[in-house]
Amino acid sequence: MRKSGPPRGLISYLVLELLEEKPRYGYEILKEITEISGGHWEPSYGSVYPILYKFEDEGWAERIEREDEPDRKYFELTDAGHEHLAEKRAETGGKARDFADVILGFYHVYVAFATDERFETDAPADEWCFDDTFSAWIVEQMVRHHERDFGEFERIPDTPAEFYGTHGGSPASERNEADEDGGEDDDDNVEAEGRASDD
């Protein structure tokens, strides 16, 4: 069970990959990440720029000057930065389950707002609200993107226990019981807090 927001180190990894493609400045990175997310998420200035400055301090990136844009702070990866990116690729590759927990966790909260009588949210007129119509739209978007990128969507008949038994891990209910004594990871949400000490 995740005890905070997006997987730790996510923004750092995205910044490294984008800098490997070409030198970039902070706002350009923010907009590129927004595009990658389909326009649904944009990190704050307070997360991206400290990461760039940390990369500079660690020798993973360096500023470059461009005569056509002298006032912008462009950064490019150094040789050490390329080596660090290789490490981050391996680290991030092991976080697929963390991503799934974030996606499923927030969807469960969305449905709870729609169906759990403990919550009584007021829906503005003619706006999105927590109900079956918009829940179905969220699922529809997931299916459309799956089919666009992976091919025809096929329902999976496995129960959670069967799926995790095949692919590793355990259902959320079992992990919640095992996690009851676990504390908050101080580093979990570093980027969301606007600090850059996540590496």
Side-chain angles (χ1 to χ4, degrees), residues 22-177:
K22 67 178 184 178
R24 298 177 188 268
Y25 56 93
Y27 185 71
E28 182 182 9
I29 292 171
L30 287 172
K31 291 306 176 186
E32 188 69 25
I33 293 174
T34 303
E35 183 176 336
I36 291 168
S37 78
H40 296 287
W41 173 59
E42 177 181 281
S44 68
Y45 268 75
S47 59
V48 169
Y49 274 101
I51 287 171
L52 288 169
Y53 298 146
K54 180 184 179 183
F55 286 179
E56 187 177 30
D57 290 341
E58 297 287 349
W60 299 329
E62 60 186 7
R63 298 189 202 197
I64 60 172
E65 296 184 2
R66 292 181 51 157
E67 293 182 0
D68 57 332
E69 296 179 288
D71 295 329
R72 279 192 170 144
K73 299 174 182 177
Y74 276 85
F75 292 81
E76 69 176 357
L77 286 190
T78 62
D79 290 341
H82 287 285
E83 294 176 4
H84 184 59
L85 173 56
E87 297 172 3
K88 290 292 284 187
R89 282 172 172 162
E91 176 187 319
T92 303
K95 293 184 177 180
R97 178 60 186 273
D98 288 348
F99 273 79
D101 280 345
V102 171
I103 295 165
L104 292 171
F106 279 106
Y107 179 71
H108 276 277
V109 173
Y110 188 100
V111 172
F113 282 5
T115 61
D116 191 321
E117 63 183 15
R118 290 174 295 177
F119 305 110
E120 299 181 13
T121 60
D122 292 325
D126 301 321
E127 295 286 345
W128 279 60
C129 60
F130 298 99
D131 67 11
D132 58 337
T133 297
F134 292 101
S135 171
W137 175 244
I138 294 168
V139 174
E140 173 66 23
Q141 288 302 295
M142 296 294 290
V143 171
R144 289 185 186 185
H145 284 284
H146 178 94
E147 293 187 332
R148 181 195 69 185
D149 297 320
F150 300 111
E152 183 177 356
F153 176 75
E154 296 183 9
R155 296 288 299 273
I156 297 176
D158 296 5
T159 65
E162 290 170 342
F163 186 85
Y164 292 120
T166 301
H167 300 285
S170 58
S173 58
E174 295 178 15
R175 288 183 290 118
N176 290 350
E177 293 176 7

